[in-house]
Amino acid sequence: MFHRTRQPAHRLLGALLFVLVLCLAGHGANAQHFSDNFDAYANGSDICAAANWQTCAGTRSISNAQSVSAPNSAFLNRNGGVDATMLSRDFGPVSQLIVVEFKIRAINATAGTKGIIARSDSNTDAIQVRMSTTQRFQYFTGGVWTNLCGTATAANTWYTVRIVTNPSQPADTFDLSVTGGAYSCSATGIGYQNNVADIDKLYFYASGNNNADIYIDDVRVYNPAGLNLSAGAANPAASTIDNDAAEVAMLQVTVQETGGHENAQITQVTFNASGTGDDRSSASGGHISDSQVCLFRDTGTTPGAWDAADIADRKSVV
């Protein structure tokens, strides 16, 4: 919570608009559980010869024919009536907020089905997303395939698929977005195929038709970094500060770390005046006195109130 300590009345005149800037320590950066852009492998080599992929079937190889991050991608070539698949190494189990992201490109938009299954440590299918024979991206939930939207996919187009989910939730859901070319569709709160406690591996497949060939590139599983900054539960109502007021509650904010990290740190708080010319801030020749703004943890006996324990715990920020 931020408080203003007692200052002369003229300090309060004008349009004082403050911008709160939070500078975070590196502990809150993206944690990456799995990443492969296939560029470190030799063109034409077997995908499953690489350490990131543990099981493959059908015809599969590293290819430099198409890529997003040059020079290579993974090529699943469904031919001879045999599905082409590749299963990633175990990268978990991960039981926190994660993003599963990859690029996919189909040579034929209507032939066969091709997609991804996110599996748990116990090999339970949790999330399944595919490109269908009807030229739609679909997800599997409630025992049926559902179109992500009515927009048709196109052949030989790279699509970015992004799945955001937290398998530790009691009722497992995920958010799905797909973009590429003129295509941009998304949905939120989609139920899992099966509820699981974690995500541990990714399974890509090209099946059902000998022309169901796909390229896969830039596969990543990571924690999205970030902090949610919002009004605190006991945020004081807007009010006019009396000239003789002291230790007045100005703003309470709640900071929630959203990236699955316990040790994200706020290392700096900066207040910038509006600079409109009618304030009494440093932007117009005045100044903000020491201890005029204080930052403290609301650790006192009354949440949202400025009490003795909070005063002892306060830190001056300007």
Side-chain angles (χ1 to χ4, degrees), residues 1 35 48 52 82 92 96 98 102 124 134-135 172 179 184 195 237 254 279 282 290 292:
M1 181 179 283
S35 178
C48 266
N52 270 341
V82 178
Q96 56 191 224
I98 57 171
F102 64 93
T124 300
T134 59
Q135 294 182 257
D172 288 333
T179 57
S184 180
N195 280 0
T254 296
D279 55 37
S282 56
D290 289 345
Q292 183 175 345

Side-chain angles (χ1 to χ4, degrees), residues 67-142:
S67 66
V68 178
S69 59
N72 296 335
S73 64
F75 181 47
L76 295 182
N77 182 9
R78 208 275 187 182
N79 61 36
V82 178
D83 291 348
T85 67
M86 61 185 195
L87 177 68
S88 75
R89 63 171 172 80
D90 297 354
F91 52 75
V94 181
S95 298
Q96 56 191 224
L97 181 66
I98 57 171
V99 178
V100 177
E101 188 176 291
F102 64 93
K103 313 292 197 301
I104 185 170
R105 177 187 178 107
I107 293 177
N108 187 310
T110 59
T113 55
K114 40 269 182 180
I116 183 177
I117 303 174
R119 289 176 173 167
S120 70
D121 181 50
S122 61
N123 290 315
T124 300
D125 293 349
I127 297 170
Q128 189 168 176
V129 177
R130 73 179 187 182
M131 302 177 75
S132 72
T133 57
T134 59
Q135 294 182 257
R136 301 290 187 272
F137 272 97
Q138 298 178 327
Y139 52 85
F140 193 73
T141 185

Side-chain angles (χ1 to χ4, degrees), residues 147-161:
N147 291 339
L148 179 58
C149 70
T151 306
T153 59
N156 296 310
T157 301
W158 281 108
Y159 294 97
T160 299
V161 179

